[in-house]
Amino acid sequence: MAAVDTVVSGQVTAVQDGSTLPGVTVLEKGTSNGTITDLDGNYTIKVSEGATLVVSFVGYLTKEIAVGNQSKINFSLETDVKQLDEVVVIGYGTSRKSDLTGSVSTVDTKVFENNPNSRVDQVLQGRASGVQVTQTSGAPGAGTVIRVRGGNSIQGSNEPLWVIDGIIVGQDFNLNNLNSSDIKSIEILKDASSIAIYGSRGANGVVLVTTKSGNSYGGKPQVTVGFYTGAQLVPQKPAYLSQPDQIAFTNEDAEFRSAGVPFPNDPSSYEDNDWFNILMDPATIYNGDVSIAGSSENGKINFYNSLNFFDQNGLIKNSGIEKYIFRSNLDIDLSDKVKAGFRVNYSRIHQDNGTVPYSQLLTILPTQPIYNADGSYDGYDDVIGAPFSNPVANAALNTNETYTNNFLSTVYLEVKPHEKWTIRSTFSPEINNVKTNIFNSSQRPDYLEIGEDGNARVATLSSLGWNNENTVQFLSDFGTDHSLSVLGGASFQKFTSESLFAEAYGITSDATGFNNLGLGSDPIRNVVGSGYDEFQIASFFGRINYSYKDKYLLTLVGRTDGSSRFAPGNKYQFYPSIAGAWKLSEEAFMDGADFVNDLKLRASFGKSGSQGIDSYRTFAVMTEASTTYNGVQSPGVTLGRPANPNLQWETTSQFDVAVEASFFNNRIFTELNYYYKQTEDLLLEVVIPKQTGFSNQLQNIGALENKGWELMVKSTNISNKDFDWGTTLTLSSNKNKVLDLGGEEFIDVVVDEILGAGNTRIIVGQPTPVFTGVRYLGTWKSQEEIDASGLGSQVVGGPKFEDLNGDGIISTEDNVVMGSPQADLIFGMENSMSYKNFEFSFFFQGTLGNDVYNLRTRNSYFTRGEVTKYAELADRWTPENPTSDIPRAGSDAVTSIPSNTKYVEDGSHIRLKTVRLIYNLPVAKFGWEKVNRMSVYFSGSNLFLASGFRLIDPETSRYGNSGVGNIAQGFSNGEYPNTKVLTFGVNVTF
């Protein structure tokens, strides 16, 4: 007689409180036939005769029941205390959270689910204590600035090291290449014990990203389809003068300077163009994800494959980003002792960089016409008497785009010759190709005004890098009290890149755009260039973890790194660390403290490093020069930079002490850290004697410190059958201070194109950096006051600055410290609630005590009436308003305004970062047998911002995260703001 299939249904609950358990795997033993419980814990499965059901769920003991002739089987699962102990990823391995001796922050992967995020780094903001994440711009595809426990370097990068599936991808990896839906976990290594395993690469912290694999899915393959669409709303416009008030200011300025009045007629006779609204429109976001994950029938092959499409239009015309990302993860058990697999990620990105900067929309006078009377684009500014760069024309005619192709992969082989030994080897290549196309049309109206033809630039960058990691690990218990884990390994990396660019001028036709640079008819201005970079790193490392009675923990880590960027004798450096932890909750004297579930003290000390320099910086560099011989000028080269073979690694020493505790049946978990870091042998450009023929040289001189505290609290406020409510709070504070600059009192950082040095300094005893300038004292109220000051060239109603040293000149000698971009407090708070099939969460984040240097204030508060002015200038000084402390119109020029306290504003803010509402459909009640899970959701981003900043959003980074941006944070020039986004999405799992 043929076997008869049986349909079995039932419900899965928790023994502890009887609550139903959704997402539990119900599998027919020995087969791939399985299903998952719905939101009410119900399941239905068709099994063969004589089958046994296996029920498993993370945090609970697995249970098996023979079906027999039963058609309804309910399961009650018991809590698995060991499984509930969270497993976190650390360098070259994993660890139970309770066994950590170092400081590791974990970002809950639930933030990726039903929560639109185009970049992984954006998710970190406010969610990890001790980690400050600043959005550089709200433009599509824009990155972030990340500081883990402050910045350690002045010359070098302060960005953390990114490690993706064990692949060291560096500090400047383009995170647009990753699909956030593929992320399984993110851990941030912060203290010396955690980062020492990465040696010279980890001084600024390490971010470990682990992607999904098939082994987390039981039974038949799961297909997940996700889609969301969003609307980006035009942000609030900063307050500027109205058209009539701006005309009055501009005319008043001209009259004061005895110049011709630009607007002699009634304001209604002139244009009133709102450039902000003309160039900015609501824009859309589309995202689609498809993934398939599962395993073979015998469970020896696990796979995860995904495809992602993302398209975001920018608010400003002619800007946006389009991404295609494919991922394939495969793990194969070749035998009981041999395992192999690979991770492959391919991305293709088209980024429209935009041809109109947001800041330009804040400066153009509303009276400036868009079109001439004949319908052509206007290209002349009558107020200043010069060509006008028309943004409407630029958006329509010009091109600025970047194509990026990235291939990131790793293949591994793992052998377990014995249950205590594991040998693993990986090889991880990365291929990157970037092409940027720029074209400025000959039909640009400002070009037509001066008879300029079009120009184009094409730049390419190709890079190839690979990592080879080899580790041997030994795990063993000795008796009942001793546990030992030993890891040893070697790592080798090589990176090469080639760049090429060409610029052509005198292009008279737009027909080919940037695709035919040979049309450039101006050989004098045409430019070509190329570059090459190569470096290698060899490393040897080891780690010992020892546990006694699971109460006393000890970790020893050491790593030796060698870099080709340094000269012989300084190539290699050793970085050690030691850490220990004591589980007080395991001691007998804690038996009476029933409200305490876990209590652990830990401390660590160690060293890490940073290369801090580009390739070839130890060598002298030749630069192009010319000389005259026998009256004839001849080309040649000369020494452009002195060699310094003595350059060596920057070294950071760090001490960390912390307490971790959970209370009231694990309903509250808290972690408090205090740390102190000191970085020595800073790489700085130092002034050297002119007799050498050079003005400066890169040397290892100087030191700085970072110290601070971090607090993280997670609480389960309410938890019952129908309703759950949890809160996560992160608070952190970092104090940075310069200890030594090689005998110098301060160093000027040149970030201002007009003022040059003087507004940003690195000063011994101060944070890195500080904003410096003179004090603004209001306006001059009388000629007698001016005469008594001893300052010449001042006018009544003009700006008044403090002559600190009394020499009768306003200069950098009168500078004072005006503020710092360093925040006193960084915070984030998320509340998550669920009621039956509904989930709701909201997340606030912000900063307190940081300052912002507003570069727009120079032109929008001071200077002449040639650009738009802040609305507050309606109350400026006039003969009829002689008590005002706002300068009169026309009293100063750009070059006469020094860096001053009016530029610095409070950057403290609180932002409602995300709000999310999810409805999980009861698919079982609908009879959708093939659908395991389905949810629809609404979310909002950046819905509310409380800030007193003139330009609305104080979260800005004018100089990005590289170059001068390594330290010059907190500058705003009117960057593309973070926009409000409303999103609707659907996720379905089959």
Side-chain angles (χ1 to χ4, degrees):
M1 182 180 292
V4 178
D5 290 341
T6 303
V7 176
V8 182
S9 62
Q11 188 177 58
V12 182
T13 59
V15 172
Q16 182 182 11
D17 56 9
S19 61
T20 58
L21 297 176
V24 176
T25 299
V26 181
L27 183 67
E28 181 180 355
K29 188 174 182 179
T31 73
S32 60
N33 177 34
T35 187
I36 291 177
T37 59
D38 63 18
L39 290 168
D40 295 320
N42 298 316
Y43 75 92
T44 300
I45 186 173
K46 183 184 289 187
V47 297
S48 58
E49 186 178 4
T52 295
L53 292 182
V54 180
V55 179
S56 60
F57 192 50
V58 175
Y60 293 85
L61 296 173
T62 300
K63 201 168 189 176
E64 296 185 11
I65 292 181
V67 174
N69 59 359
Q70 302 176 84
S71 61
K72 187 175 182 64
I73 303 176
N74 294 326
F75 290 86
S76 293
L77 301 185
E78 297 179 13
T79 301
D80 185 346
V81 177
K82 291 183 179 179
Q83 286 295 318
L84 283 176
D85 194 355
E86 181 184 1
V87 175
V88 298
V89 178
I90 57 175
Y92 302 99
T94 61
S95 173
R96 293 188 304 168
K97 177 73 173 177
S98 62
D99 290 342
L100 285 176
T101 56
S103 181
V104 180
S105 287
T106 300
V107 178
D108 192 341
T109 54
K110 289 184 179 179
V111 302
F112 295 106
E113 301 173 4
N114 302 320
N115 191 8
N117 291 284
S118 62
R119 288 176 56 102
V120 175
D121 48 341
Q122 296 173 355
V123 180
L124 304 181
Q125 191 170 43
R127 299 185 184 276
S129 59
V131 181
Q132 182 174 15
V133 181
T134 303
Q135 189 75 32
T136 59
S137 164
T144 60
V145 174
I146 302 178
R147 296 292 179 264
V148 179
R149 295 184 169 181
N152 300 316
S153 184
I154 293 176
Q155 195 86 7
S157 174
N158 284 303
E159 291 292 299
L161 176 71
W162 286 81
V163 180
I164 301 171
D165 288 327
I167 310 170
I168 298 177
V169 296
Q171 297 170 305
D172 55 357
F173 181 75
N174 184 359
L175 295 171
N176 283 312
N177 294 321
L178 295 181
N179 175 15
S180 59
S181 297
D182 292 336
I183 306 302
K184 178 182 178 181
S185 67
I186 293 182
E187 278 80 21
I188 304 172
L189 313 183
K190 299 183 293 186
D191 76 319
S193 174
S194 301
I195 63 180
I197 196 70
Y198 289 102
S200 66
R201 319 296 296 277
N204 300 321
V206 181
V207 183
L208 304 178
V209 178
T210 304
T211 61
K212 295 175 182 177
S213 57
N215 55 19
S216 59
Y217 303 89
K220 62 182 180 181
Q222 286 189 0
V223 177
T224 299
V225 179
F227 172 80
Y228 69 78
T229 180
Q232 304 167 88
L233 307 182
V234 175
Q236 179 183 350
K237 179 184 177 181
Y240 283 86
L241 291 176
S242 65
Q243 187 251 27
D245 287 342
Q246 181 65 56
I247 286 177
F249 184 98
T250 304
N251 284 342
E252 189 178 318
D253 163 34
E255 289 173 347
F256 181 78
R257 294 185 288 109
S258 300
V261 175
F263 306 105
N265 302 321
D266 187 272
S268 62
S269 64
Y270 301 102
E271 300 275 359
D272 187 5
N273 289 318
D274 188 337
W275 295 93
F276 189 87
N277 289 326
I278 289 171
L279 271 298
M280 296 188 74
D281 288 309
T284 56
I285 302 176
Y286 297 100
N287 183 85
D289 279 295
V290 178
S291 67
I292 180 170
S295 60
S296 61
E297 290 189 8
N298 59 10
K300 291 188 176 182
I301 300 176
N302 295 284
F303 58 88
Y304 174 87
N305 299 289
S306 72
L307 183 64
N308 170 248
F309 169 73
F310 179 83
D311 183 21
Q312 180 181 5
N313 293 312
L315 295 175
I316 301 179
K317 293 178 175 62
N318 204 18
S319 66
I321 186 171
E322 186 178 78
K323 302 192 292 184
Y324 298 88
I325 302 175
F326 169 75
R327 171 168 287 277
S328 180
N329 293 350
L330 181 68
D331 300 286
I332 306 174
D333 292 331
L334 299 175
S335 70
D336 293 340
K337 296 184 178 181
V338 181
K339 183 178 181 180
F342 63 75
R343 304 285 184 268
V344 172
N345 192 91
Y346 171 75
S347 62
R348 177 172 174 80
I349 301 171
H350 173 217
Q351 187 148 3
D352 224 333
N353 302 312
T355 55
V356 179
Y358 173 81
S359 59
Q360 186 183 11
L361 308 184
L362 304 178
T363 63
I364 307 173
L365 295 181
T367 53
Q368 180 67 45
I370 302 174
Y371 303 100
N372 296 312
D374 60 1
S376 62
Y377 289 117
D378 182 84
Y380 194 78
D381 187 335
D382 290 316
V383 175
I384 63 174
F388 162 61
S389 181
N390 189 323
V392 175
N394 292 342
L397 299 172
N398 297 340
T399 301
N400 186 336
E401 62 182 9
T402 300
Y403 286 91
T404 302
N405 291 278
N406 177 267
F407 176 82
L408 178 67
S409 66
T410 184
V411 58
Y412 74 89
L413 180 66
E414 184 176 291
V415 180
K416 294 180 71 71
H418 186 272
E419 63 179 9
K420 297 182 180 180
W421 290 90
T422 303
I423 303 170
R424 183 182 176 93
S425 182
T426 66
F427 180 75
S428 308
E430 180 186 0
I431 303 172
N432 212 41
N433 287 289
V434 182
K435 182 173 183 281
T436 298
N437 306 313
I438 298 175
F439 176 69
N440 290 306
S441 168
S442 61
Q443 300 305 304
R444 280 180 51 163
D446 52 334
Y447 283 12
L448 294 174
E449 287 287 342
I450 59 176
E452 175 77 15
D453 292 322
N455 58 79
R457 174 187 171 94
V458 175
T460 62
L461 173 67
S462 299
S463 65
L464 171 64
W466 57 260
N467 286 309
N468 172 227
E469 306 272 1
N470 305 279
T471 59
V472 178
Q473 188 170 20
F474 172 78
L475 297 169
S476 182
D477 293 329
F478 299 93
T480 58
D481 295 337
H482 306 277
S483 178
L484 181 67
S485 170
V486 180
L487 172 77
S491 173
F492 307 95
Q493 179 183 11
K494 184 175 182 179
F495 173 86
T496 59
S497 71
E498 294 183 76
S499 60
L500 177 67
F501 76 90
E503 294 179 359
Y505 293 84
I507 301 176
T508 58
S509 172
D510 292 359
T512 59
F514 51 79
N515 287 313
N516 189 353
L517 299 183
L519 294 178
S521 59
D522 190 345
I524 296 178
R525 298 171 64 192
N526 292 347
V527 180
V528 295
S530 62
Y532 179 81
D533 185 22
E534 177 181 340
F535 70 86
Q536 301 175 51
I537 297 177
S539 307
F540 306 91
F541 52 88
R543 179 174 61 213
I544 298 174
N545 288 319
Y546 171 73
S547 172
Y548 176 64
K549 292 187 175 181
D550 198 30
K551 292 191 294 186
Y552 313 106
L553 311 174
L554 176 67
T555 300
L556 299 173
V557 179
R559 179 169 177 134
T560 295
D561 281 322
S563 172
S564 63
R565 287 177 169 169
F566 295 101
N570 290 321
K571 288 185 179 295
Y572 286 89
Q573 184 69 45
F574 176 65
Y575 299 100
S577 78
I578 182 171
W582 177 21
K583 297 181 181 179
L584 282 81
S585 53
E586 301 296 320
E587 298 288 358
F589 60 76
M590 291 292 294
D591 288 346
D594 296 336
F595 67 96
V596 179
N597 301 105
D598 293 290
L599 180 62
K600 181 174 73 173
L601 296 177
R602 56 176 174 79
S604 65
F605 176 79
K607 295 187 176 184
S608 55
S610 173
Q611 297 182 63
I613 60 171
D614 297 327
S615 302
Y616 320 120
R617 281 308 304 264
T618 60
F619 297 108
V621 169
M622 308 302 290
T623 186
E624 186 178 359
S626 61
T627 187
T628 301
Y629 183 72
N630 289 335
V632 178
Q633 187 170 340
S634 302
V637 295
T638 186
L639 194 60
R641 185 182 72 200
N644 187 355
N646 297 319
L647 292 178
Q648 58 186 359
W649 308 82
E650 293 181 338
T651 301
T652 298
S653 301
Q654 182 174 182
F655 169 74
D656 180 276
V657 61
V659 58
E660 299 175 11
S662 58
F663 307 96
F664 308 114
N665 198 25
N666 294 310
R667 293 178 72 94
I668 298 177
F669 174 79
T670 183
E671 181 177 343
L672 177 64
N673 284 264
Y674 171 81
Y675 61 88
Y676 177 84
K677 298 194 298 182
Q678 182 169 314
T679 304
E680 299 175 320
D681 293 327
L682 289 175
L683 289 157
L684 297 173
E685 291 286 352
V686 178
V687 176
I688 58 178
K690 292 184 178 180
Q691 295 90 323
T692 63
F694 304 97
S695 59
N696 53 58
Q697 182 186 46
L698 185 64
Q699 298 180 8
N700 287 101
I701 290 178
L704 58 81
E705 69 175 16
N706 287 276
K707 58 183 178 182
W709 57 267
E710 306 164 354
L711 174 66
M712 187 272 288
V713 180
K714 284 186 176 181
S715 65
T716 302
N717 306 319
I718 298 175
S719 180
N720 56 44
K721 184 177 181 180
D722 290 331
F723 182 68
D724 287 283
W725 172 27
T727 301
T728 301
L729 174 69
T730 61
L731 301 172
S732 54
S733 177
N734 180 78
K735 297 296 183 183
N736 173 283
K737 186 170 70 172
V738 179
L739 302 177
D740 177 50
L741 291 174
E744 297 291 331
E745 181 182 348
F746 66 86
I747 296 175
D748 272 323
V749 180
V750 179
V751 299
D752 191 291
E753 296 86 349
I754 295 176
L755 294 177
N759 65 344
T760 308
R761 281 181 175 175
I762 303 168
I763 304 174
V764 174
Q766 295 287 341
T768 310
V770 289
F771 306 134
T772 55
V774 299
R775 290 190 181 95
Y776 177 69
L777 303 179
T779 59
W780 296 102
K781 302 301 191 295
S782 67
Q783 187 60 47
E784 290 77 14
E785 185 183 13
I786 296 174
D787 295 339
S789 71
L791 293 169
S793 303
Q794 307 297 314
V795 297
V796 176
K800 180 181 179 181
F801 303 106
E802 182 182 35
D803 181 14
L804 190 64
N805 62 4
D807 63 356
I809 302 173
I810 302 298
S811 68
T812 56
E813 297 297 319
D814 301 306
N815 279 6
V816 295
V817 174
M818 303 187 299
S820 168
Q822 308 291 334
D824 295 327
L825 183 69
I826 306 164
F827 61 87
M829 183 183 71
E830 182 166 37
N831 281 273
S832 300
M833 287 157 274
S834 63
Y835 176 72
K836 294 187 176 180
N837 290 357
F838 289 92
E839 298 178 38
F840 177 70
S841 66
F842 59 92
F843 175 54
F844 285 94
Q845 58 84 211
T847 62
L848 182 66
N850 57 301
D851 297 304
V852 179
Y853 193 99
N854 187 349
L855 292 165
R856 293 245 61 82
T857 297
R858 176 194 294 120
N859 288 320
S860 293
Y861 188 87
F862 299 99
T863 74
R864 296 171 180 168
E866 298 155 353
V867 297
T868 52
K869 302 298 177 182
Y870 294 143
E872 62 199 82
L873 267 70
D875 190 37
R876 63 189 173 277
W877 190 98
T878 64
E880 295 75 30
N881 188 26
T883 60
S884 174
D885 279 327
I886 300 175
R888 69 182 301 166
S891 60
D892 47 72
V894 171
T895 54
S896 67
I897 301 298
S899 175
N900 66 82
T901 50
K902 207 65 182 177
Y903 291 1
V904 178
E905 301 181 43
D906 184 9
S908 302
H909 68 281
I910 181 170
R911 187 194 305 274
L912 179 55
K913 187 69 176 178
T914 56
V915 175
R916 182 175 49 172
L917 176 64
I918 305 170
Y919 178 65
N920 300 292
L921 280 73
V923 293
K925 293 181 180 179
F926 296 159
W928 299 348
E929 295 182 359
K930 295 185 178 181
V931 178
N932 290 332
R933 200 177 302 170
M934 182 176 181
S935 62
V936 296
Y937 62 91
F938 295 90
S939 70
S941 302
N942 304 314
L943 298 183
F944 168 79
L945 174 65
S947 166
F949 186 54
R950 279 194 180 97
L951 301 182
I952 310 299
D953 194 342
E955 186 183 340
T956 183
S957 182
R958 167 69 175 85
Y959 300 103
N961 60 14
S962 60
V964 71
N966 290 330
I967 56 170
Q969 295 299 306
F971 284 87
S972 176
N973 194 38
E975 276 61 58
Y976 202 116
N978 291 289
T979 58
K980 296 179 181 179
V981 183
L982 301 177
T983 306
F984 169 77
V986 180
N987 283 327
V988 185
T989 300
F990 301 94

